[in-house]
Amino acid sequence: ASGGLRMGGGSQEFTWGVNASYLEQNDFNNAQSGSEDDPFKNKTAGFNLAYKPTDRASIDFVTRYSDADADADWQDCVPSPGNDPCPQVVSDSLPDSSSFEQLYAGLTGTVGFFENRWTHQLFLATTDTENKSVFQFRDFVDPGLVLVDTFNADGTLNEVRYQTNWDFARDGVAAGT
């Protein structure tokens, strides 16, 4: 199942937009062998707002939220050295899971001088991410031994950027000539 929604509008000074999407699948297999189908879900929503009071100044805000979950068995069978590569099927006996959640927000302000030949831009953003995965698999030598590998990554990235530009040529003519 999947679906999405996008709406927006605005005027000469203001524009806005909102979007949301959803995807759910139960028919993918990322194992090197085997045929098990594993579920995947992804939900995303976003919003943007722009304000342009003059042709020389603007402020833009963007935010996005994503949430994804996947159950995947990267090992659908237990190989034995020197034998059939997959003599023992272990589908769903060791479910692996991965979850991802992220919130992003960015704000950009731009101002121009000298007929917008010289522009200044300030960008502020934050990204908060939470990623968790659990992988379970059987030992190749001793299939009765279950090994577990976990991964967690939680963090926030904050950005501040400033950029200035000078437009030396406008309409194919260098400035000052």
Side-chain angles (χ1 to χ4, degrees):
S2 66
L5 170 71
R6 185 186 317 186
M7 295 186 305
S11 64
Q12 189 170 350
E13 288 184 357
F14 286 99
T15 58
W16 65 274
V18 63
N19 62 69
S21 64
Y22 177 76
L23 172 66
E24 182 176 0
Q25 293 180 316
N26 287 312
D27 56 357
F28 82 95
N29 180 17
N30 67 345
Q32 294 178 356
S33 59
S35 60
E36 181 184 50
D37 294 330
D38 295 309
F40 171 79
K41 293 178 185 176
N42 185 351
K43 299 172 286 249
T44 302
F47 174 76
N48 62 289
L49 179 66
Y51 174 57
K52 189 170 184 174
T54 72
D55 64 342
R56 296 180 186 186
S58 65
I59 298 173
D60 300 290
F61 173 73
V62 176
T63 188
R64 179 182 58 248
Y65 172 77
S66 298
D67 183 3
D69 294 299
D71 291 332
D73 301 320
W74 71 270
Q75 183 185 23
D76 274 350
C77 63
V78 178
S80 296
N83 293 335
D84 178 5
C86 289
Q88 181 183 1
V89 176
V90 293
S91 295
D92 268 340
S93 63
L94 299 172
D96 298 326
S97 65
S98 181
S99 65
F100 172 82
E101 189 174 7
Q102 184 177 71
L103 177 63
Y104 167 83
L107 181 67
T108 305
T110 306
V111 63
F113 301 100
F114 305 112
E115 298 177 348
N116 281 336
R117 287 187 181 270
W118 186 23
T119 59
H120 300 271
Q121 188 175 71
L122 181 62
F123 173 77
L124 308 169
T126 186
T127 305
D128 184 41
T129 303
E130 184 177 315
N131 189 348
K132 296 180 180 178
S133 299
V134 176
F135 301 103
Q136 303 178 68
F137 51 96
R138 295 188 189 278
D139 186 68
F140 290 122
V141 177
D142 180 5
L145 180 62
V146 175
L147 306 171
V148 178
D149 184 17
T150 60
F151 171 79
N152 288 316
D154 298 326
T156 300
L157 173 65
N158 295 310
E159 294 179 74
V160 176
R161 293 188 303 219
Y162 168 77
Q163 180 177 335
T164 185
N165 296 304
W166 178 262
D167 184 359
F168 288 99
R170 171 109 2 127
D171 300 324
V173 178
T177 60

